Amino acid sequence: MTKRTFEEILGIYNTPLLELVYEAATVHRKFNNPSEVQVSSLVSIKTGGCSEDCSYCPQSARYHTGVEVHKLMQVEEVLDAAKKAKSGGASRLCMGAAWREVRDNSDFDRVLEMVKAVNGLEMEVCCTLGMLTASQAQRLAEAGLYAYNHNLDTSEDNYKSIITTRKYSDRLNTIANVRKAGVTVCSGGIIGLGESVEDRVSLLLTLSALDPPPESVPINALVPVEGTPLEEQPLLPIWDMVRMIATTRIVMPGTVVRLSAGRTQMSAEGQALCFMAGANSIFAGDKLLTTPNPDFNSDMELFQLLGIKPRAPFQVKNKHEFV
Ligand code: SAM
Ligand code: DTB
Ligand code: SF4
């Protein structure tokens, strides 16, 4: 099927809001079960002290944000966190490390052990560890990794104003390495950085042009953190999140669209509109990597209120037909 052009995606994004939500909800029902939402849990396996200068990130060593640096966790600690997340209803565990890239050392060997251990719990295992070579992606695949998260974050044009220590092409290379290793790709972005509508559209164009597109696309609202260059950034209006989620759903109909960071700043009604517009995944648990997230019980209350059920693991099929 033909993929959409920049102008077409811009046209979708700018559709009158209720019409846009209706269209996205219609596409969502055609490709997915609208009453199922995938629940992931995050563990920060290595926190802070990162050498990159991502201007949104509290974990960069360049900013004074009060995040305490922690070296790589032990396998047992991660396994305990995974068991807790599973008993709370999470089907996926995402392990995040504040690394620029993976190095072939004993820390990486330990991460491989973590992947094997969590995989043994019948949970989808995801990692986000920074840049990967082809052989590192292959070793993660052999350990049983299900998904790798590596966000493009914004448009290629805007990238330089957000991060100077790596290039957009570095990100695309890692994504290609993950794809080649047969691991599912999780890649999305952040909105509320001060980017234009065109930057958001361009990000969606790049993601949807990947062949195949990512199996999951996290849409993060910036969580402004004191000490980062973006600390003064105004909170993202919920309507922008709804538009972004709806447009993502329409251009990538079979992808898991994750309503990611920023939910503590959103009302229940705002989140409900995002689910209506096609969001079908969240991070649950009271912490993201370093910042707060709604607590598990309030999310389950919201699910019950809206008639949503957490999705069982290992459901992703390759159903990236473009309508
Ligand atoms: N270091 C690895 C990397 O950059 O790929 C993995 C961890 S990094 C924290 C994962 C993602 O978290 C980033 O790509 C970004 O999209 C998101 N993120 C970081 N800080 C954020 C913030 N303050 N608000 C929203 N999203 C954020
Ligand atoms: C993603 O897209 N969002 C998550 C996950 N992938 C790794 C991280 C959000 C981090 C928010 C800031 C923090 O808690 O440090
Ligand atoms: Fe490091 Fe990732 Fe944060 Fe960038 S987003 S500073 S690479 S932890």
Side-chain angles (χ1 to χ4, degrees):
M1 286 276 202
T2 13
K3 304 217 174 183
R4 286 191 173 84
T5 62
F6 178 87
E7 283 68 28
E8 286 167 338
I9 302 176
L10 185 62
I12 296 170
Y13 186 95
N14 284 326
T15 306
L17 190 86
L18 292 181
E19 190 57 30
L20 174 61
V21 171
Y22 177 76
E23 280 175 26
T26 307
V27 169
H28 189 36
R29 272 150 188 74
K30 237 161 97 184
F31 284 82
N32 311 287
N33 176 348
S35 51
E36 272 186 1
V37 168
Q38 188 247 345
V39 177
S40 295
S41 182
L42 276 169
V43 188
S44 184
I45 58 170
K46 188 268 166 184
T47 308
C50 182
S51 62
E52 298 280 63
D53 69 352
C54 311
S55 51
Y56 48 75
C57 187
Q59 301 199 69
S60 165
R62 296 164 195 243
Y63 318 132
H64 300 285
T65 60
V67 165
E68 268 183 50
V69 178
H70 279 286
K71 57 182 179 17
L72 187 65
M73 283 168 76
Q74 298 298 331
V75 178
E76 279 306 315
E77 292 175 273
V78 174
L79 198 54
D80 286 348
K83 286 178 187 158
K84 230 166 101 193
K86 187 181 176 176
S87 66
S91 61
R92 174 179 290 194
L93 190 81
C94 179
M95 305 190 271
W99 284 331
R100 173 173 207 272
E101 77 256 296
V102 166
R103 309 232 168 113
D104 294 303
N105 57 17
S106 57
D107 273 3
F108 185 41
D109 295 338
R110 198 192 294 171
V111 172
L112 295 171
E113 289 308 312
M114 291 174 190
V115 171
K116 281 186 204 146
V118 178
N119 203 28
L121 297 178
E122 287 286 290
M123 289 181 93
E124 296 174 7
V125 193
C126 174
C127 280
T128 181
L129 314 168
M131 292 182 267
L132 291 182
T133 63
S135 79
Q136 290 163 345
Q138 191 56 45
R139 288 180 71 194
L140 284 163
E142 282 157 14
L145 190 74
Y146 186 77
Y148 195 79
N149 166 251
H150 203 64
N151 293 335
L152 290 176
D153 281 337
T154 188
S155 68
E156 183 165 13
D157 280 353
N158 192 39
Y159 206 68
K160 300 175 271 307
S161 69
I162 302 296
I163 300 151
T164 68
T165 49
R166 56 169 189 256
K167 297 196 296 283
Y168 214 62
S169 57
D170 295 327
R171 289 309 259 188
L172 288 166
N173 263 338
T174 292
I175 293 171
N177 289 338
V178 170
R179 181 56 80 203
K180 265 189 288 184
V183 171
T184 68
V185 172
C186 173
S187 185
I190 311 186
I191 57 174
L193 304 166
E195 74 288 344
S196 64
V197 164
E198 286 73 16
D199 290 319
R200 294 175 189 172
V201 168
S202 171
L203 167 68
L204 293 181
L205 178 70
T206 306
L207 291 170
S208 61
L210 294 173
D211 193 15
E215 281 76 7
S216 88
V217 176
I219 305 294
N220 296 279
L222 175 73
V223 180
V225 177
E226 215 180 307
T228 63
L230 295 178
E231 65 181 354
E232 303 272 353
Q233 203 54 40
L235 285 186
L236 182 82
I238 185 67
W239 310 117
D240 290 32
M241 194 64 175
V242 174
R243 278 193 184 281
M244 190 68 179
I245 297 261
T247 309
T248 308
R249 172 53 64 214
I250 293 170
V251 301
M252 289 175 271
T255 286
V256 172
V257 179
R258 184 169 306 114
L259 174 59
S260 300
R263 287 195 304 115
T264 48
Q265 310 144 26
M266 294 174 200
S267 67
E269 295 88 335
Q271 293 180 59
L273 211 45
C274 290
F275 293 128
M276 183 79 197
N280 60 348
S281 172
I282 58 163
F283 285 118
D286 55 11
K287 208 166 171 200
L288 290 166
L289 290 171
T290 65
T291 64
N293 194 45
D295 75 59
F296 189 78
N297 292 337
S298 63
D299 278 340
M300 289 309 116
E301 272 170 34
L302 181 62
F303 274 23
Q304 202 158 21
L305 185 76
L306 302 177
I308 287 172
K309 290 184 298 291
R311 197 177 78 171
F314 308 113
Q315 301 283 304
V316 169
K317 290 169 221 88
N318 228 339
K319 48 178 176 177
H320 296 292
E321 296 104 272
F322 283 79
V323 289

